[in-house]
Amino acid sequence: MTITEKVAYLKGLMDGLEIDKTTKEGKVLAAMADVLEDLALTVADNCDQIDAIDEDLENLEEFVYEGDFFDDFDDEDDDDFCFGDCDDCDGCDDFDYDEYEYEIECSNCHETIFIDESAFEEGKTFECPACGTILEAYTELDEEEGE
């Protein structure tokens, strides 16, 4: 028996017992039954919404973990992460070394990263594409000035 069915049974029981709703006690019982009915309907609505959210979440999990979501990240198509120094991808053939003026090493993963002069603008940082470490470009001249 659901909560709404139990509240409906309670209200029917009150009617069947012919509780006088004009007395103080009858008014209280009738008001309590009405509040219980409202609460039961609210709980039932919330349960329906939770079930709908749960179903949506299951669909999303299936899409992300089992579906086509990760197919966009094909191992053979790593051109976005090619920096011209890997041996086993086709993207290196298209890498334009002339576009980048400087070569630095990531302090975290030690990957070689190619950057242009705009990376040396004051306060500019960039992310290592291999490990995600936030790096700041500096020159040897900057190091001497800081001492």
Side-chain angles (χ1 to χ4, degrees):
M1 201 184 256
T2 66
I3 294 174
T4 52
E5 292 171 338
K6 289 179 181 179
V7 171
Y9 172 76
L10 180 63
K11 289 184 91 169
L13 187 62
M14 288 176 58
D15 289 340
L17 293 174
E18 298 177 0
I19 293 179
D20 186 6
K21 296 178 185 174
T22 59
T23 66
K24 292 178 186 179
E25 295 83 6
K27 288 180 182 179
V28 169
L29 289 173
M32 288 173 61
D34 289 341
V35 168
L36 284 174
E37 183 177 34
D38 290 344
L39 286 172
L41 292 172
T42 301
V43 167
D45 286 344
N46 288 344
C47 288
D48 291 343
Q49 289 176 353
I50 289 171
D51 289 342
I53 291 170
D54 187 46
E55 186 177 319
D56 290 344
L57 182 59
E58 285 177 18
N59 291 338
L60 182 61
E61 286 173 343
E62 183 179 321
F63 174 75
V64 170
Y65 295 117
E66 299 168 11
D68 298 332
F69 181 76
F70 288 110
D71 289 348
D72 291 340
F73 301 102
D74 189 3
D75 291 338
E76 295 175 9
D77 190 22
D78 285 338
D79 292 343
D80 293 341
F81 301 106
C82 178
F83 289 94
D85 60 349
C86 53
D87 297 328
D88 59 331
C89 79
D90 296 332
C92 295
D93 296 337
D94 298 328
F95 189 77
D96 185 8
Y97 289 96
D98 296 332
E99 182 180 336
Y100 301 95
E101 299 175 23
Y102 301 98
E103 180 179 317
I104 63 171
E105 183 178 303
C106 175
S107 59
N108 185 43
C109 69
H110 305 290
E111 182 75 26
T112 301
I113 303 167
F114 296 92
I115 58 175
D116 61 12
E117 190 169 337
S118 69
F120 292 98
E121 294 173 5
E122 186 174 333
K124 184 167 183 176
T125 60
F126 56 95
E127 184 176 330
C128 173
C131 69
T133 300
I134 302 298
L135 302 169
E136 184 174 340
Y138 65 91
T139 64
E140 289 180 25
L141 181 61
D142 292 338
E143 285 180 357
E144 292 172 6
E145 289 176 358
E147 293 178 359

